[in-house]
Structure formats: C-alpha cells, structure tokens
Amino acid sequence: MQATKLPNDAKAGPTKPEVRAVLARKLALGPDDHFVEVGSCTGAVTIEAARRAGRVTALERRGERLEATRANLAANEYDADVQLINAEAPEQLPEDGDVVFLGGSRNYECVLDAAVAAGYDRIVMNVSRLEVAGEAARAFRDRDLLDEVLCLQMATGYDLAGATSFDADNPVYMLVGEPGSNNDLGGTA
C-alpha cells in the first residue's frame, strides 16, 4: 500500500491511517466511481480515494484547509480526476456522485438529504463525539440508510523504560449506509 504524504497541516485531522484503512474498505471505491468528500481538511481521505476512484470531488468550507488539501495532493501520486471546491455542503454537492464521505458533522442532515435526493449509492460518515454519533445514527435511520455502525479505537505502541506501552487515540464512530438499506440497523428505533 502506497504511503500517503501529508506535509501540509490544516490544524485539524488528518483521519488516522488505521481509520482510513477501514474507511477504504467501507467506501468500496472502484475506478468508475465518482467519490465526493465533504470536509476535506488535510486531504488524507481525498488522496486515498483518488488512488481508487475515477473522479473525486472534495468540498471544504475553509479556504486554508482547502489549500492544505491542494498542497498535500501535489505531494502524492494518484490517477483520478480531482476537483477541489471551496463551499459549505450541501452547496455544490455534485448531482452525479456515487459515494459520499462526511468527514465532519456540520450540516450533516442537509448533506444526507441532498445525497439521497441525488441518488448516491453509499454514504459514510465519521464522527468523533459520542452525542453527535447518536444523533447521526438517528438521522441515518430516519432516512433508511443505516447499514452499520463501527467504533474504532486505536492505540499505538511506544517504548517506555525498555518495555512497550500504548498511547490511545480518541475513538471514531463510523456510520455506513446505503439508501433503501434492509439491514437490522436500518429500521426505525
């Protein structure tokens, strides 16, 4: 697997490599897919998606973060046609996207509605706050989207007095869905 270089910081993120590995599996991108990221921040997810999908559109509301995405893209190799847009979603959410990833929780209900209306095949959202994860799970259920919820907790080993100890990252809640889902999680609760 090709390493993702992120020489430019966006004062937030990036999505940790281990979380991106699980995310890549859940997004299930192929060369014919148009991937859309809402909240590109450092561009870590954008870059990895650009290695798998044919087209990538990254929306980011903060100009300095979009510039970090642009600079980090330039430091990496990928084959996709990539478009970066300075906008707050759901504004300028492409109508022809196949898969959307919400890297943040701002306006997520409006983004879910727009993605469903546009006919997106898969919707994945990462959340770092428990209360927002619960609200987002309800929003996914209310739209008959929820297939799966994961809680990812990573800890990285480091040397401590000649032995191994661990630094834990904050948990990430990942909501995975498809419109019209028939999964047990997808019903109204």
Side-chain angles (χ1 to χ4, degrees):
M1 182 177 187
Q2 187 176 6
T4 298
K5 299 174 200 147
L6 301 170
N8 295 278
D9 188 11
K11 305 275 188 278
T15 302
K16 302 287 190 232
E18 297 82 5
V19 174
R20 292 194 314 259
V22 173
L23 179 60
R25 174 79 170 115
K26 299 304 176 183
L27 293 172
L29 295 172
D32 295 329
D33 284 326
H34 179 184
F35 170 77
V36 178
E37 180 175 17
V38 173
S40 66
C41 197
T42 63
V45 173
T46 302
I47 293 162
E48 293 194 14
R51 293 177 175 151
R52 293 173 174 85
R55 288 177 55 206
V56 173
T57 301
L59 297 159
E60 175 55 61
R61 71 183 180 91
R62 295 179 63 181
E64 68 276 8
R65 288 183 179 176
L66 194 65
E67 289 311 310
T69 297
R70 187 180 320 284
N72 287 332
L73 271 165
N76 289 273
E77 294 180 21
Y78 57 90
D79 293 323
D81 173 22
V82 178
Q83 181 180 20
L84 304 180
I85 300 173
N86 188 201
E88 184 162 346
E91 178 186 319
Q92 297 193 41
L93 189 76
E95 291 288 324
D96 64 345
D98 299 302
V99 180
V100 64
F101 169 66
L102 290 79
S105 58
R106 188 176 177 93
N107 298 333
Y108 71 89
E109 290 192 71
C110 294
V111 175
L112 291 177
D113 291 337
V116 169
Y120 280 68
D121 297 326
R122 286 181 305 288
I123 300 169
V124 181
M125 180 178 177
N126 282 1
V127 179
S128 60
R129 295 172 290 161
L130 179 62
E131 293 82 2
V132 176
E135 293 166 5
R138 171 67 62 197
F140 269 67
R141 280 188 180 100
D142 288 348
R143 290 158 179 81
D144 196 24
L145 296 173
L146 193 61
D147 283 330
E148 190 174 13
V149 179
L150 299 109
C151 177
L152 306 172
Q153 175 77 53
M154 297 301 305
T156 306
Y158 69 95
D159 182 65
L160 178 65
T164 304
S165 190
F166 287 87
D167 274 333
D169 291 332
N170 288 328
V172 173
Y173 306 95
M174 186 179 294
L175 295 95
V176 182
E178 296 180 12
S181 170
N182 290 319
N183 189 303
D184 289 341
L185 286 176
T188 303

